[in-house]
Amino acid sequence: MGTLIAIRLRNAAALLVLATLLCFTLVVSAPGNVAVLIAELRTPKATFEQVRAVETELGLNDPLVVRYGNWLGGALQGDLGVSYKTGDHIGPTLGSRLPVTFTLVAGGACFAMLLSFALGFVGALWPGRFGDAFTRITALLGASMPSFFVGALLIYFFAVKLRLFPTFGSAGFSSWILPWITIGLLPAAVLSRVVRVGLEEAMAMPFALTAAAKGLSRRASLFRHALPNIAPTYINALGAQSGLMVVGAVVVEPLFALKGVSDFFLQGVLFRDFMVVQACLLIFLTFFIIVNLIADIGIMFTDPKLRRQGGAGT
Amino acid sequence: MTAPLLQARNLSVDLFTVRSALRPVDDVSYSVGQGETLAIVGESGSGKTVLNFAPIGLMPTGVVTDLHGSLRFEDIELVGLPAARMRRIRGGRIGTIFQDPMSALNPALRIGRQIAEVAELHLGMTSVQAEARALDLLKLVRMSDPESRLRQYPHELSGGLRQRAMIAIAVAAEPKLLIADEPTTALDVTVQAQIIALLKDLQKRLDTAIVLITHDMGVVASIASKVAVMYAGRIVEYGSVDQVLLEPRHPYSTGLIAALPRPEDKAGTLFRGLPGAPPIMGAPQPGCPFAPRCPLVVDYCTDVRPPLAPAPTGSAAACHVVNDVPHREMAHA
Ligand SMILES: Nc1ncnc2c1ncn2[C@@H]1O[C@H](COP(=O)(O)OP(=O)(O)OP(=O)(O)O)[C@@H](O)[C@H]1O
Ligand SMILES: [Mg+2]
């Protein structure tokens, strides 16, 4: 298994390099003269010389390879360039916004896991009954309602009507609950189907009959025999859904006035601030790659056939 | 004489799926004494699996069964037994071995866990005690290198070892009755003999009764004390191994045994099959289901159902003709 993990790590590293190339290309090929933009940002009526000075300062006349190297070197040290719009350094801004998005996505993923197991097990424990139909419909609704709509509904009922939670802002744990639900509902809906269908398939396998022959109840068979069999599929789907949650955050962060990376990204897009877009994209892609790496390794640990490959490990 | 361990009286099973309703087991009676082995033989689809697994609630999901008649195990009537009580018997006093040990074992769990689970459930052991018991059981079923087998997964074992693991699961709680559904069919010929030898050995040690479903007459001869021959959901012949194998009475068993390859056959001898095909099961038929293929058939065979009549000598056969010689003479007259 050690070798399998090494292969996964190498692939992830290669993907990261690709991601940086992609982000770099985005800014290089962006329309408009960056130097002019920045020079005008500094002095409203910039002269030709001032623009030239900005060009040399930013190294815009260097060959592309050198520019890529400089940018990558800076990025590795947390220097992601300067916002075209505000002239602020992007690195520190991102640093303060990252924990917000991380809390949102991690909490949303936890909520999605809890809800998906609850819904999936209710359906699998009482197949064809009311609970099964109810969870099916919940999943369908959860998967088809856009998150801005869900968020708006939640804010209306729980924050405005019932005054249980704050409508926006970060005031401790309670202010996170509505955003977590909003961002986690769609993944929960998708994952609950993974649980429900996976359990049903596992219970139709001959080994489920063996479990019954041992005298296990249906519930015990589901937990002890079917559940370990759906683990690899579930982790795979969870990885994909967690990656997608960053996209969900683009809607959820502005909705709850959360100053996260996705909100920053949205501003960057709106103001054609390519440096910001680039920096956020780099963060997103890195996140995707890391989440997938973790999921791959998780799958390896839960699938006995993969676990024993490569000879290492017990 | 004490009561037999397992006794079926006029047991029928109706089976319903989304697509079909049929009676794969129709009015069968048999018994198995403690430590005894009953072999059940018959063509594919004759109802052997349904007969043994439907009454203990072991049908695949999506299949509903309806039982009639009686099946007593020890002092318990299994027909109509509540599911919770049936669960306590399954895996405890009745062990089960399936045909394909690969699919019958859980691919995601270690062998040791799958065996230990039974000891936890039926012997009330802690998980540490149960692991120790699993190790003993692997030794009992003569697995090589039992310590490391405990930690392996099913896909890491050969077919024969998997079936040994399955047997260890089945005997983990020292059952009084072992139901084995074609336990050697999926295995190599050399391994088949080892598994049968193991079952015989375990039977002697644990004094377990075995109901063995098989197609293999060699297996029947080597392990069984009694034989029931099934045809289209009915037992058509029932008697001791010697009676049924050496002097079969029912024309179906006669044909079945005559169809076996013999040592004196020259290589390339044509397979001596029974002519015709078994009936498609559906609604119960009034007469003898074998009539369309029977060499001895007489006119009332298709109308009157032949009872499984015990003969003064030899096995019981459900056949008008062989049971009722005067009738036969009349028919030939
Ligand atoms: N799960 C099922 N769904 C539908 N019909 C079934 C099912 N299991 C058994 N049957 C039907 O019941 C009848 C008896 O089947 P059974 O499996 O008991 O035969 P068998 O004697 O065990 O055959 P084999 O030697 O092939 O195992 C068959 O006609 C079969 O079509
Ligand atoms: Mg069968």
Side-chain angles (χ1 to χ4, degrees), chain A residues 203-218 220 224-226 228-229 302 304-308 314, chain B residues 58-61 87 90-91 96 98 103-110 114 117-118 121-122 151-153 155-156 166 169:
Chain A
M203 290 303 279
M205 303 281 278
F207 67 72
L209 211 57
T210 307
K214 289 174 173 177
L216 289 174
S217 65
R218 192 183 150 78
R224 296 193 212 158
H225 285 268
N229 277 280
T302 48
K305 288 194 180 138
L306 290 175
R307 183 170 356 188
R308 290 292 169 84
T314 34
Chain B
L58 278 187
M59 293 304 285
T61 41
R87 274 205 298 275
R90 281 199 307 254
T96 325
F98 296 98
S103 58
L105 293 170
N106 192 327
L109 300 178
R110 294 173 200 274
Q114 301 194 43
E117 182 173 55
V118 182
L121 194 65
H122 292 286
R151 277 176 277 114
Q152 287 185 311
Y153 289 92
H155 75 270
E156 295 171 305
M166 190 67 226
I169 290 173

Side-chain angles (χ1 to χ4, degrees), chain B residues 44-45 47-50 99 181-182 213 215:
Chain B
S44 193
K48 307 182 293 294
T49 300
V50 173
Q99 174 173 342
D181 189 353
E182 306 191 29
I213 303 172
H215 290 280

Side-chain angles (χ1 to χ4, degrees), chain A residues 226-250:
Chain A
L227 192 59
N229 277 280
I230 69 165
T233 326
Y234 186 83
I235 292 172
N236 192 20
L238 180 66
Q241 291 298 321
S242 303
L244 286 177
M245 262 191 256
V246 175
V247 180
V250 173

